[in-house]
Amino acid sequence: MRDAPYPERPDPSPQPSPERERGPGASEAGEAGYNFAYLDEGTKRMIRRAILKAIAVPGYQVPFASREMPMPYGWGTGGVQVTAAILGRADVLKVIDQGADDTTNAVSIRRFFARTSGVATTTRTTEATIIQTRHRIPETPLREGQILVYQVPIPEPLRFLEPRETETRQLHALAEYGAMHVKLYEDISRHGHIATTYAYPVEVAGRYVMDPSPTPKFDNPKMDQSPALQLFGAGRERRIYAVPPYTSVRSLDFEDHPFRVQEFTEPCALCGASGHYLDEVVTDDSGGRMYVCSDTDICETRVAEAAR
Amino acid sequence: MLAPGFADAVHDAQGTFRAVMDALARPGLLQRLDAGLEPPAPLTSELAAIALALTDADTPVWLDAGLAAAPEVAAYLRFHTGAPLTDDPARAAFALIRDPARCPPLSRFAQGTPAYPDTATTLVLALDAIASGEGLRLTGPGIDGAVRIALTPLPEGFVAQLAENHAGFPLGIDLILTAPGRVAGLPRSIAVTEG
């Protein structure tokens, strides 16, 4: 773990004693009194059925009966439910929040699954079989067999253009996405370029327009033809959707205003990488700032390799 | 006596689901599926595993003529899943098909609606054998370029039905193809051609 700018907070709650953690009735590694990966089997079946239909109709939002989770809506309950439904004993789980393994949301979700399922966890993108993410795609290219689970706050890309669910369902049914192009065009007329920088709408497999979750648009190209399976869970809005591996994911744009990602003028201040997504970190109260990789794993790996 | 279900209800169901999920996410690639079930004939171990892993009181299940004729099969599925059995393929969430040659036309199953295409039936077929690298040509989401898959037996007119099913995308049924120890996926998003 790097010590700045995101120090891992010490856990204020007392650790359970080993006996309590492996009390009578406990599964071989999980917390006593809970089913493997927290959810009951009936809930897992329901979520699993939604995932299968989501894969069969790429980019379409499948409704599911989202459960109360031991964390508030907005903290990744959709992603957590998807992860709980697919997780098996042999999986290795990585959880990132804005690219970082060591922020509160990532640490607490990783610990949640370590305690309720006993699966191995990692911060290494290359070692993980399942990566749950909030708002980033790892810089390290994903490979076949890996699953990326996105936490999604608002799954409906048309929601801010049309508030009624009955209407947005019709718009998707008719593949009527003109309003989204008008929104992007209004960006151009007002700012001279498409000013949408995150949750940038994409068209999946030439049919459904999908919200990629609030990832920076910098990450959109990584979704296209990815060898990894991408699953999206929105807990509060009760939707699951998916992009199978090797599927076209096209960011909406215009011929004369093609899609472009952000560019950074300087490399990462810690590892020196260019071409990574960078966070701005304010270092003092007199205007000092530095830019560092948002993906802590690749940054730490590069720093460690350089020190060798 | 009633045949037992999964030896490990949690992990066998998870393993079966992951094999099916991988199969649908990578159409045409064979996945291993060995849940070790010994259900009453003519239900196969693979059909039983998928039924036990995915169906329950919320999912009407349709059985083909051969399975419906065996009361032990209905008793086994009712006991282990609690799923209601239906005679109407258009109401089925899942359809178990032991004899693909006598499968009703795919268009008779639930196709989903334009607003909710996820309400379409998932058909689970028991085949004698599935081979990859030869046979039908598949393209679409989940496939890097194109793959080939050979189904034995291949019901007459099946390829034309699959083409029609794909042409209706995003409506249409999804297929889970099983053979002894193996499972492959053929969702509606996939274009199927011969030769």
Side-chain angles (χ1 to χ4, degrees):
Chain A
M1 300 273 167
R2 78 179 167 213
D3 45 9
Y6 300 121
E8 183 173 358
R9 287 156 203 247
D11 182 6
S13 64
Q15 291 296 315
S17 65
E19 298 87 78
R20 199 181 137 217
E21 207 160 310
R22 293 269 186 99
S27 59
E28 45 190 286
E31 186 93 340
Y34 289 98
N35 191 24
F36 177 82
Y38 184 78
L39 291 177
D40 63 275
E41 290 302 300
T43 297
K44 286 185 193 169
R45 268 195 303 276
M46 174 270 296
I47 296 172
R48 287 167 179 170
R49 291 192 297 260
I51 290 171
L52 297 184
K53 287 303 181 194
I55 290 170
V57 189
Y60 163 72
Q61 302 163 51
V62 182
F64 81 110
S66 181
R67 299 295 195 241
E68 293 263 349
M69 297 301 287
M71 64 187 70
Y73 285 137
W75 283 68
T77 54
V80 165
Q81 290 179 79
V82 169
T83 299
I86 63 176
L87 195 65
R89 280 182 293 203
D91 279 312
V92 180
L93 179 69
K94 169 182 164 86
V95 184
I96 53 173
D97 172 4
Q98 305 267 19
D101 295 276
D102 52 2
T103 50
T104 311
N105 197 223
V107 170
S108 62
I109 291 173
R110 195 165 59 235
R111 189 173 294 160
F112 172 77
F113 280 114
R115 282 175 61 169
T116 58
S117 73
V119 301
T121 61
T122 184
T123 59
R124 291 297 184 83
T125 301
T126 51
E127 291 171 0
T129 57
I130 299 174
I131 303 171
Q132 183 173 327
T133 176
R134 172 180 175 274
H135 303 189
R136 272 314 309 281
I137 299 173
E139 305 287 2
T140 309
L142 301 180
R143 56 176 157 74
E144 284 188 10
Q146 286 184 313
I147 303 169
L148 189 58
V149 178
Y150 296 75
Q151 303 170 198
V152 181
I154 298 171
E156 179 49 72
L158 304 168
R159 182 59 70 234
F160 291 108
L161 306 171
E162 170 51 68
R164 292 168 295 181
E165 172 72 8
T166 48
E167 290 299 308
T168 53
R169 288 251 146 208
Q170 284 303 315
L171 293 173
H172 284 294
L174 299 167
E176 174 49 72
Y177 297 120
M180 183 60 84
H181 279 102
V182 171
K183 179 199 176 278
L184 296 175
Y185 176 75
E186 283 177 348
D187 267 7
I188 295 170
S189 62
R190 200 170 298 158
H191 306 287
H193 60 98
I194 297 175
T196 305
T197 54
Y198 68 96
Y200 191 104
V202 294
E203 179 197 75
V204 180
R207 177 57 176 82
Y208 283 93
V209 166
M210 183 187 93
D211 183 322
S213 87
T215 49
K217 70 176 179 180
F218 181 89
D219 284 339
N220 277 19
K222 295 180 188 147
M223 306 179 78
D224 183 40
Q225 301 293 338
S226 170
L229 171 64
Q230 302 175 74
L231 301 175
F232 300 77
R236 180 184 49 213
E237 302 290 325
R238 301 182 170 86
R239 296 291 183 270
I240 286 171
Y241 50 105
V243 176
Y246 304 113
T247 297
S248 90
V249 178
R250 188 179 68 81
S251 302
L252 299 185
D253 62 356
F254 300 96
E255 276 176 22
D256 52 344
H257 284 273
F259 173 80
R260 282 174 44 212
V261 300
Q262 298 97 318
E263 283 171 14
F264 298 91
T265 50
E266 47 189 302
C268 170
L270 296 177
C271 77
S274 50
H276 291 179
Y277 191 78
L278 303 181
D279 286 338
E280 180 184 19
V281 180
V282 175
T283 52
D284 54 37
D285 57 1
S286 55
R289 59 200 58 216
M290 64 195 284
Y291 292 89
V292 299
C293 290
S294 130
D295 184 334
T296 54
D297 170 52
I298 199 161
C299 196
E300 285 165 8
T301 304
R302 285 173 52 87
V303 168
E305 276 170 6
R308 213 177 289 151
Chain B
M1 208 181 81
L2 198 66
F6 288 132
D8 183 334
V10 171
H11 298 290
D12 289 352
Q14 190 273 339
T16 302
F17 160 73
R18 273 289 276 273
V20 171
M21 182 181 82
D22 290 344
L24 283 168
R26 299 299 312 279
L29 292 192
L30 288 172
Q31 310 290 332
R32 263 174 211 291
L33 177 60
D34 181 18
L37 294 176
E38 292 176 9
L43 194 62
T44 67
S45 173
E46 293 75 27
L47 291 184
I50 291 169
L52 265 56
L54 293 173
T55 69
D56 56 30
D58 293 334
T59 56
V61 172
W62 183 89
L63 303 179
D64 77 352
L67 293 171
E72 311 81 45
V73 169
Y76 178 86
L77 292 173
R78 280 210 182 90
F79 179 80
H80 287 297
T81 71
L85 301 178
T86 177
D87 298 332
D88 182 0
R91 281 196 61 240
F94 286 86
L96 303 185
I97 291 149
R98 178 67 183 86
D99 183 2
R102 289 164 60 199
C103 179
L106 300 182
S107 57
R108 284 191 55 205
F109 293 93
Q111 306 290 305
T113 64
Y116 293 94
D118 55 298
T119 50
T121 306
T122 304
L123 275 67
V124 191
L125 269 66
L127 300 162
D128 295 338
I130 310 173
S132 61
E134 51 182 310
L136 306 176
R137 183 172 186 273
L138 313 185
T139 54
I143 300 172
D144 189 10
V147 293
R148 285 184 183 276
I149 187 170
L151 311 181
T152 316
L154 179 66
E156 206 179 316
F158 202 57
V159 177
Q161 285 198 58
L162 290 173
E164 191 184 339
N165 185 60
H166 171 66
F169 185 88
L171 305 189
I173 57 97
D174 304 305
L175 288 167
I176 299 171
L177 309 168
T178 71
R182 294 284 185 276
V183 61
L186 195 47
R188 67 191 91 169
S189 55
I190 299 304
V192 183
T193 52
E194 275 175 299

